[in-house]
């Protein structure tokens, strides 16, 4: 698995909210691509970064670790980190790791944007 298995896009909802569209796999090899996308989305007056997992194909424990890194960065910047589009499998993983207590999990992008 290489970093090429992850592609990201950053969309601005407004000056305060950005959405990171994640496509493919999040593994340890995804660190640079995910970090760069997050930095782009979290810049400026951003108050909330929303992770779009609708096209997530695979995430391993290293990928979970990368999400924790993003969470730390968001907390330091006093920003919210939210997510939507998680499959039932990954929702369970978020619950088991208690990430769901730190990252707001929503069913739809509209719900996540409303919470931002």
């Amino acid at each position: 698995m290489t970093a090429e298995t992850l592609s990201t896009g950053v969309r601005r909802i407004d000056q305060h909210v950005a959405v990171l569209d994640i496509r493919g796999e999040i593994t340890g090899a995804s660190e640079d691509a995910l970090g760069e996308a997050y930095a782009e989305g979290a810049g400026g007056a951003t108050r909330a970064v929303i992770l779009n997992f609708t096209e997530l194909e695979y995430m391993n424990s290293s990928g979970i670790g990368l999400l924790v890194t993003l969470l730390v960065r968001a907390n330091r910047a006093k920003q919210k980190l939210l997510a939507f589009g998680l499959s039932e499998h990954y929702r369970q993983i978020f619950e088991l790791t208690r990430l769901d207590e730190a990252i707001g999990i929503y069913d739809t992008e509209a719900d996540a944007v409303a919470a931002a």
Side-chain angles (χ1 to χ4, degrees):
M1 289 176 247
T2 63
E4 290 80 35
T5 61
L6 173 70
S7 66
T8 58
V10 179
R11 293 182 286 124
R12 284 237 162 250
I13 301 300
D14 59 31
Q15 68 179 7
H16 301 295
V17 180
V19 176
L20 271 60
D21 294 313
I22 296 167
R23 291 175 295 282
E25 302 178 357
I26 301 178
T27 66
S30 308
E31 183 173 7
D32 291 341
L34 191 59
E36 289 169 14
Y38 181 82
E40 181 182 338
T46 302
R47 293 186 193 148
V49 175
I50 301 172
L51 305 174
N52 173 3
F53 288 114
T54 56
E55 294 186 47
L56 177 69
E57 295 171 8
Y58 174 76
M59 181 167 39
N60 64 12
S61 59
S62 295
I64 295 288
L66 292 178
L67 294 183
V68 171
T69 300
L70 296 185
L71 180 60
V72 169
R73 289 171 67 180
N75 286 339
R76 285 185 182 154
K78 298 187 181 352
Q79 296 170 330
K80 288 183 180 180
L81 189 60
L82 309 168
F84 74 95
L86 284 166
S87 69
E88 187 60 33
H89 171 74
Y90 289 115
R91 275 184 180 258
Q92 290 176 352
I93 289 173
F94 271 53
E95 290 170 11
L96 287 171
T97 59
R98 294 188 161 184
L99 271 177
D100 65 324
E101 294 175 12
I103 299 174
I105 308 298
Y106 298 89
D107 290 330
T108 67
E109 180 172 340
D111 292 342
V113 169

